[in-house]
């Protein structure tokens, strides 16, 4: 799995199915979304998770937000699920 943390470094030249979300803890809803993305594998698409490096709420409030899953744990989960790409978008706008 290729991981992008610099948005300007993203260079994917392939049809890609994307799941977008924070994915803090992988619950049944996330698994269902991932199943939909994985359906496109058989059609030749690459699979990508677009998530955020930190909590948007943390950025807005300036207070540390509790997390169920660390970024490293999320990377491991996505790798185990065999996603092709993971984008960890920095929340710093």
């Amino acid at each position: 799995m290729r991981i992008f943390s610099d948005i300007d470094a993203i260079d994917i030249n392939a049809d890609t199915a994307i799941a977008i979300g924070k994915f803090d803890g992988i619950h049944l809803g996330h698994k269902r979304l991932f199943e939909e993305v994985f359906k496109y594998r058989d059609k030749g698409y690459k699979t990508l998770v677009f998530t955020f490096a930190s909590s948007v709420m943390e950025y807005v409030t300036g207070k540390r937000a509790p997390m169920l899953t660390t970024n490293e744990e999320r990377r491991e989960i996505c790798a185990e699920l065999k996603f092709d790409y993971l984008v960890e978008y920095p929340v710093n706008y």
Side-chain angles (χ1 to χ4, degrees), residues 35-85:
E35 288 172 9
E36 289 298 313
V37 169
F38 295 151
K39 287 179 183 179
Y40 285 86
R41 283 181 176 156
D42 295 337
K43 299 177 183 181
Y45 284 65
K46 297 293 185 181
T47 55
L48 182 147
V49 173
F50 185 100
T51 189
F52 302 93
S54 61
S55 168
V56 174
M57 199 60 171
E58 187 174 313
Y59 179 80
V60 171
T61 64
K63 297 178 183 175
R64 186 166 177 85
M67 293 179 56
L68 300 174
T69 305
T70 66
N71 289 348
E72 184 58 38
E73 289 169 331
R74 186 178 52 234
R75 287 181 204 122
E76 290 173 12
I77 292 167
C78 290
E80 288 173 9
L81 292 171
K82 301 192 183 329
F83 274 95
D84 296 299
Y85 307 105

